[in-house]
Amino acid sequence: MLVLGDSLSAGYGIDTERGWVARLAERIERNGLPHRVVNAAVSGETTAGGLTRLPALLDRHRPAVLVIALGANDGLRGWGFDVIRENLTRLVVQGREAGARVLLIGVRLPPNYGVSYTDGFQAVFMEVAAEQGVPLVPALLKGVAEDWGLMQADGLHPTAEAQERLLDNVWPTLEPLLSD
């Protein structure tokens, strides 16, 4: 399994082994599932950067499952929805063409971007998932971003204590892909 993500998956500001992706690897092992987790998340990564890196990652790791957790930095930079949608679609298609089952993970932007942009941004993930027929975790930070005690001082990145909740947000949608 390959996780292609940004700082939220790379464990920004915390020890990497305490991040949700490392906890995912532990949960997979505890459940006796035959998947090795490769965390290919890079802080600051955009969907465009992911597109650049994904082909080599797919060739190298040949994952059965690809988790795409990108887009937050695109939104924080105010990128157009068409660009984000096209890049996410291309990531999904590349994963499928390599034989991987794909999971798309969305994220909500901070409210200071305005309702129109934040709602439109969120809709991009739903549209890509529906058009491509892939499962979606609509909000990685659900139940975390709303609780300042679970966020680092920057207000963008979750604390180590929040990582299990992130995994719990992902697990119900991811687990069926691990059993196929």
Side-chain angles (χ1 to χ4, degrees):
M1 172 192 312
L2 178 68
V3 178
L4 183 68
D6 53 30
S7 59
L8 298 174
S9 299
Y12 176 87
I14 64 172
D15 291 332
T16 306
E17 65 271 5
R18 295 185 70 193
W20 78 265
V21 178
R23 290 173 184 235
L24 169 63
E26 293 166 2
R27 189 176 290 185
I28 285 172
E29 187 175 332
R30 273 195 318 271
N31 285 294
L33 296 167
H35 296 276
R36 180 179 60 92
V37 177
V38 175
N39 189 351
V42 174
S43 291
E45 187 73 279
T46 62
T47 56
L51 279 170
T52 300
R53 293 189 313 117
L54 185 59
L57 290 166
L58 292 171
D59 284 345
R60 180 174 180 199
H61 300 290
R62 305 217 179 272
V65 177
L66 170 63
V67 176
I68 300 169
L70 289 173
N73 290 305
D74 303 38
L76 291 174
R77 292 177 175 138
W79 286 10
F81 301 143
D82 289 345
V83 172
I84 300 168
R85 184 182 301 106
E86 173 64 23
N87 289 347
L88 288 172
T89 299
R90 289 177 55 202
L91 288 165
V92 169
V93 168
Q94 284 182 21
R96 278 203 174 132
E97 287 177 349
R101 295 179 296 278
V102 177
L103 171 65
L104 183 60
I105 297 181
V107 66
R108 291 198 67 80
L109 292 176
N112 59 309
Y113 281 77
V115 173
S116 178
Y117 189 80
T118 57
D119 287 353
F121 175 80
Q122 187 74 26
V124 167
F125 292 93
M126 292 182 269
E127 292 164 7
V128 171
E131 289 168 6
Q132 295 301 312
V134 297
L136 170 70
V137 174
L140 176 62
L141 299 177
K142 182 179 180 184
V144 173
E146 304 85 359
D147 182 344
W148 283 103
L150 295 174
M151 297 298 287
Q152 295 179 39
D154 65 8
L156 296 173
H157 297 96
T159 63
E161 294 74 26
Q163 299 299 310
E164 193 70 26
R165 285 195 193 182
L166 299 184
L167 177 54
D168 288 343
N169 288 340
V170 172
W171 186 255
T173 309
L174 176 60
E175 185 180 23
L177 298 178
L178 301 176
S179 302
D180 290 345

